[in-house]
């Protein structure tokens, strides 16, 4: 995939994921408001809304954590990296992204196993298969691998430009 196609794909993927998380957060807010109103005004809150909020929050947390990798907003120790020579700093960027990719692969493999095991287990209030909730784990793993591989490619392009070579 060339650089322009990669940028376009990642930009579209990022937009879709951000809209997905924003939609989840709006639904969470509305359901929480609905639940609070029914609980305090009518003393009768439905149990399904609390469970739905919990499930949507799990999905939004996992997907938003992957977005945090893409945007570079997670906590990091930049002071040490910034004090190092550029070549070592670039190598560390690649190494960190490779470690995150290994973690993402781990999440895909074992998250998928948990997802398969919980397919027959219904949730208490909604009766949905619990696998729908646990599916957020391998989805995050996939996003981590996609985003980190993009960051590695971007870092490699910077290295080739710094060396005065043509980028791939």
């Amino acid at each position: 995939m060339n650089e322009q196609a990669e940028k376009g794909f990642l930009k579209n993927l990022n937009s879709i994921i951000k809209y997905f998380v924003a939609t989840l957060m709006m639904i969470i807010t509305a359901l929480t408001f609905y639940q609070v109103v029914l609980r305090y005004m009518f003393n009768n809150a439905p149990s399904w809304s609390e469970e739905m909020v919990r499930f949507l929050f799990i999905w939004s947390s996992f997907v938003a954590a992957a977005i945090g990798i893409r945007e570079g907003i997670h906590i990091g120790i930049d002071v040490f990296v910034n004090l190092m020579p550029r070549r070592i700093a670039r190598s560390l960027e690649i190494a960190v992204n490779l470690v995150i990719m290994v973690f993402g692969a781990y999440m895909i493999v074992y998250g998928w196993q948990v997802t398969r095991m919980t397919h027959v287990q219904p949730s208490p209030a909604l009766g949905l298969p619990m696998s729908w909730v646990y599916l957020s784990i391998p989805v995050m793993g996939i996003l981590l691998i996609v985003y980190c591989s993009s960051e590695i490619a971007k870092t490699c392009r910077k290295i080739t430009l710094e060396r005065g070579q043509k980028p791939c």
Side-chain angles (χ1 to χ4, degrees):
M1 183 182 292
N2 67 15
E3 187 178 349
Q4 293 295 56
E6 178 186 335
K7 282 182 182 180
F9 169 75
L10 288 174
K11 184 177 179 183
N12 290 336
L13 179 66
N14 228 18
S15 295
I16 290 168
I17 291 172
K18 283 182 179 181
Y19 282 118
F20 176 71
V21 171
T23 302
L24 290 181
M25 295 307 290
M26 287 187 288
I27 294 170
I28 288 170
T29 303
L31 280 175
T32 302
F33 179 75
Y34 169 74
Q35 185 178 7
V36 168
V37 167
L38 287 179
R39 179 181 296 135
Y40 290 108
M41 295 187 82
F42 301 106
N43 202 22
N44 186 16
S47 60
W48 66 267
S49 63
E50 184 177 341
E51 188 172 277
M52 179 64 81
V53 166
R54 188 179 313 117
F55 292 169
L56 295 177
F57 184 74
I58 290 167
W59 265 92
S60 65
S61 298
F62 276 96
V63 174
I67 291 173
I69 293 291
R70 169 75 177 150
E71 302 290 327
I73 58 174
H74 287 292
I75 296 173
I77 307 174
D78 293 338
V79 174
F80 298 119
V81 175
N82 292 338
L83 292 175
M84 296 183 178
R86 190 178 305 205
R87 176 178 270 168
I88 294 174
R90 298 277 192 235
S91 298
L92 280 174
E93 287 177 35
I94 292 172
V96 166
N97 280 305
L98 286 172
V99 168
I100 294 170
M101 286 176 73
V102 168
F103 177 69
Y106 180 84
M107 291 183 72
I108 292 169
V109 171
Y110 292 104
W112 183 249
Q113 288 178 4
V114 171
T115 301
R116 284 189 13 229
M117 286 188 299
T118 58
H119 182 67
V120 294
Q121 177 187 357
S123 65
L126 293 169
L128 296 172
M130 287 301 294
S131 59
W132 289 14
V133 179
Y134 288 107
L135 186 61
S136 63
I137 298 169
V139 167
M140 180 186 178
I142 292 168
L143 292 173
L144 288 178
I145 289 174
V146 168
Y147 287 151
C148 287
S149 61
S150 166
E151 290 301 311
I152 289 171
K154 192 185 314 179
T155 303
C156 288
R157 281 192 290 272
K158 288 178 186 176
I159 290 170
T160 57
L161 287 175
E162 288 169 358
R163 290 183 181 166
Q165 300 171 350
K166 281 186 165 180
C168 300

